[in-house]
Amino acid sequence: MVNIPQEIGNKIKIYRKKKNLTLLELSEAICKSKATVSKYENGQISLDIMTLYDIARVLGIHVEQLLYPVQDEAMNISAPRLPAFFRDTSQLYMYFYDGRCNEISRGVIDILAKTGMNSYKIMLFANINAYETYQDCENTYWGTLTHYDSLSAITLKNQNTPTEQLTITILSTFLDVPTKWGLLGGISTRPLMPIATKVCLSKKKQKETEEFQKSLKISKEDIRLMKLYNMLSIT
């Protein structure tokens, strides 16, 4: 059974360190003792709602980033009308090959809450170093996942740099497969420029073999189709 206070406490610690705040500085900012905040982070005591919001405000994050995602009826994650690829999952792994640094870029997508008939609030933690602490990442994006008959679309905005906005389009999500390919496009701030590349979305962590890395790179067939259509297309 998941220890929810401990999970929330771990997230508080990750974001506090990312913000370069000491326990004392955080405790003073929310008018609590240093010992109390330490117990929050260690999962020894539960937080009340107001304190959770106070901590999120001081850390400069959304309160949902501190919550532990629990699947429930409200999310309707197993509904028959939900595309097969997205059924029974509240988390996806995202991969693309970044030629700027010549390595695989990893991300985790958390599907947080249902916001409409076919739409969900999501978060993307991009350029992560470790899956165990994926919240401690280079960039965090907020957005929406919307399902249509033949495709699913993700729209994202960088939490710290709103000018950086991304879209991910995935075709044929009605197929019940472990991985799907999608097209990521938008504005990158590293450096500032328009980008478009293919991404792999997976229900499980992928083994980063040479073959997998090769599949993430733009292939000769991709280039042929780009020349034919004068555009990058992923099917």
Side-chain angles (χ1 to χ4, degrees), residues 28-216:
E28 290 177 344
I30 64 172
C31 301
K32 300 285 185 180
S33 70
K34 179 181 176 181
T36 297
V37 175
S38 178
K39 288 179 180 179
Y40 288 155
E41 290 192 348
N42 293 324
Q44 293 175 273
I45 55 176
S46 299
L47 292 85
D48 61 85
I49 295 297
M50 291 306 299
T51 300
L52 200 63
Y53 273 92
D54 285 343
I55 291 174
R57 172 182 53 79
V58 173
L59 297 179
I61 60 177
H62 294 274
V63 71
E64 289 95 334
Q65 289 173 255
L66 297 176
L67 300 178
Y68 179 78
V70 178
Q71 290 191 19
D72 56 29
E73 291 281 330
M75 285 188 67
N76 208 15
I77 207 72
S78 298
R81 64 175 174 275
L82 194 67
F85 178 70
F86 290 93
R87 287 179 196 161
D88 302 314
T89 183
S90 59
Q91 190 173 78
L92 293 169
Y93 301 95
M94 187 185 84
Y95 302 88
F96 72 91
Y97 186 80
D98 193 338
R100 294 168 295 186
C101 54
N102 295 317
E103 61 183 27
I104 294 175
S105 179
R106 307 162 199 83
V108 174
I109 296 176
D110 280 343
I111 304 172
L112 299 173
K114 189 170 184 179
T115 56
M117 180 64 71
N118 296 306
S119 61
Y120 298 81
K121 179 187 287 187
I122 64 169
M123 286 184 61
L124 165 63
F125 301 90
N127 305 320
I128 65 174
N129 293 315
Y131 290 110
E132 295 75 20
T133 55
Y134 65 86
Q135 296 92 349
D136 186 11
C137 60
E138 182 179 338
N139 292 296
T140 305
Y141 298 81
W142 276 91
T144 303
L145 164 64
T146 306
H147 300 298
Y148 302 96
D149 289 340
S150 57
L151 61 84
S152 293
I154 294 173
T155 57
L156 298 160
K157 182 181 289 188
N158 191 309
Q159 181 172 319
N160 297 315
T161 313
T163 54
E164 186 178 356
Q165 301 184 42
L166 302 173
T167 61
I168 302 174
T169 306
I170 312 105
L171 295 174
S172 305
T173 49
F174 54 83
L175 297 175
D176 190 9
V177 291
T179 60
K180 284 294 299 178
W181 288 94
L183 178 65
L184 181 151
I187 300 296
S188 167
T189 55
R190 195 165 55 97
L192 183 66
M193 63 179 184
I195 61 165
T197 189
K198 59 182 180 179
V199 295
C200 176
L201 296 179
S202 174
K203 297 180 182 182
K204 296 181 179 180
K205 300 170 192 172
Q206 293 294 298
K207 293 182 178 179
E208 297 180 18
T209 61
E210 287 187 16
E211 183 179 355
F212 180 62
Q213 179 170 300
K214 183 179 178 180
S215 70
L216 292 171

Side-chain angles (χ1 to χ4, degrees), residues 24 188 230:
L24 180 60
S188 167
N230 197 39

